C-alpha cells in the first residue's frame, strides 16, 4: 500500500507516515520509554536523561528513513528507523508506546520499513532485539524475521557484577542473557 500525504492507515484511529521535525519531542519521549524498559529488563541503573540517546540516533549518517505511527487522539505512539549498511538494511529502533503494544502498531511499522527496503532493493533487512525481550523476539518472528544471520556476544567487563540469566543454548554452547 502506498503512503499518501496523510499516511497509510492501520485502522480508523492510527496511520503510519514519514517522520516530521515536529515529531522530535514525541519520538524522544518514546526513546526514553524504550531506554527505561531495557534498564528494567537488565536491572541497570536509571539514566539522568533516558531520552538523550535519541539525539545520537538522529545524528547517525546511516539513518536513511524514519516513520511514525500517529493516533488521531494520542498523537505519535510509535516510530521506526531504517539504517543502511551498503545494500543491507537494519531496523533500528522500533518503539511502540506501552498502552498500544499488541494492537498491530509495531507490525504496521515493520511492514512500512520492509516495504521501503524492498523499494530500495536491499538484499536483507535485519533487526537486533534485546535478548531478554521475548515479546519483541516473538513479534519479530511472526513478522517474518526468522533467519538468525548475526550474533553479538558480550564479555561483561563491569565491576558491578551485573546479574545475567542462564539458559540459552546455541550450537551446543551455553550462554547467559
Amino acid at each position: 500500500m502506498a503512503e499518501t500525504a496523510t499516511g497509510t492507515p492501520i485502522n480508523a484511529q492510527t496511520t503510519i507516515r514519514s517522520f516530521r521535525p515536529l515529531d522530535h519531542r514525541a519520538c524522544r519521549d518514546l526513546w526514553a520509554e524504550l531506554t527505561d524498559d531495557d534498564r528494567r529488563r537488565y536491572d541497570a541503573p536509571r539514566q539522568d536523561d533516558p531520552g538523550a540517546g535519541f539525539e545520537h540516533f538522529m545524528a547517525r549518517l546511516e539513518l536513511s528513513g524514519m516513520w511514525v505511527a500517529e493516533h488521531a487522539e494520542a498523537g505519535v505512539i510509535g516510530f521506526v528507523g531504517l539504517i543502511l549498511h551498503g545494500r543491507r538494511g537494519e531496523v533500528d529502533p522500533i518503539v511502540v508506546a506501552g498502552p498500544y503494544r499488541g494492537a498491530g502498531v509495531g507490525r504496521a511499522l515493520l511492514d512500512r520499513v520492509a516495504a521501503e527496503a524492498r523499494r530500495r532493493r536491499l538484499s536483507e533487512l535485519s533487526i537486533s532485539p534485546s535478548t531478554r525481550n521475548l515479546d519483541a523476539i516473538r513479534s519479530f518472528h511472526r513478522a517474518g524475521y526468522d533467519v538468525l544471520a548475526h550474533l553479538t556476544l558480550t564479555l561483561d567487563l563491569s565491576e558491578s557484577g551485573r546479574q545475567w540469566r542462564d539458559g540459552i543454548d546455541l550450537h551446543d554452547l551455553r550462554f547467559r542473557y
Side-chain angles (χ1 to χ4, degrees):
M1 181 183 308
E3 183 174 337
T4 64
T6 57
T8 305
I10 298 174
N11 57 44
Q13 295 289 311
T14 308
T15 58
I16 304 296
R17 62 167 175 78
S18 294
F19 173 86
R20 299 177 191 145
L22 288 174
D23 300 326
H24 185 274
R25 170 50 61 194
C27 290
R28 192 180 199 282
D29 290 346
L30 286 166
W31 186 282
E33 185 176 337
L34 175 69
T35 301
D36 280 341
D37 285 350
D38 278 348
R39 177 192 57 80
R40 284 188 293 276
R41 194 171 285 112
Y42 284 95
D43 301 319
R46 187 175 188 329
Q47 297 178 9
D48 290 335
D49 182 3
F54 183 70
E55 307 307 331
H56 297 286
F57 166 74
M58 291 297 289
R60 288 184 70 171
L61 295 177
E62 314 95 329
L63 179 60
S64 179
M66 223 170 114
W67 297 268
V68 299
E70 183 174 45
H71 187 275
E73 296 172 10
V76 174
I77 58 171
F79 76 94
V80 65
L82 174 62
I83 306 293
L84 290 184
H85 304 285
R87 300 298 311 147
R88 296 180 301 108
E90 176 185 1
V91 176
D92 185 34
I94 180 164
V95 187
V96 177
Y100 297 93
R101 293 180 190 152
V105 175
R107 180 59 181 263
L109 288 165
L110 287 172
D111 289 349
R112 177 61 186 91
V113 76
E116 182 65 19
R118 285 185 189 94
R119 187 187 73 74
R120 294 180 186 205
R121 296 192 172 134
L122 299 182
S123 62
E124 66 182 57
L125 185 60
S126 63
I127 193 163
S128 300
S130 170
T131 308
R132 288 189 187 174
N133 193 342
L134 297 180
D135 290 336
I137 292 169
R138 289 181 180 111
S139 293
F140 299 147
H141 191 270
R142 282 191 304 272
Y145 292 82
D146 61 358
V147 176
L148 187 59
H150 306 279
L151 183 64
T152 302
L153 301 177
T154 300
L155 174 62
D156 185 356
L157 300 174
S158 69
E159 295 179 18
S160 65
R162 213 155 126 186
Q163 296 300 312
W164 295 99
R165 297 177 187 168
D166 183 45
I168 294 179
D169 293 319
L170 182 65
H171 298 295
D172 297 322
L173 299 171
R174 189 73 169 177
F175 293 91
R176 297 174 295 155
Y177 69 104

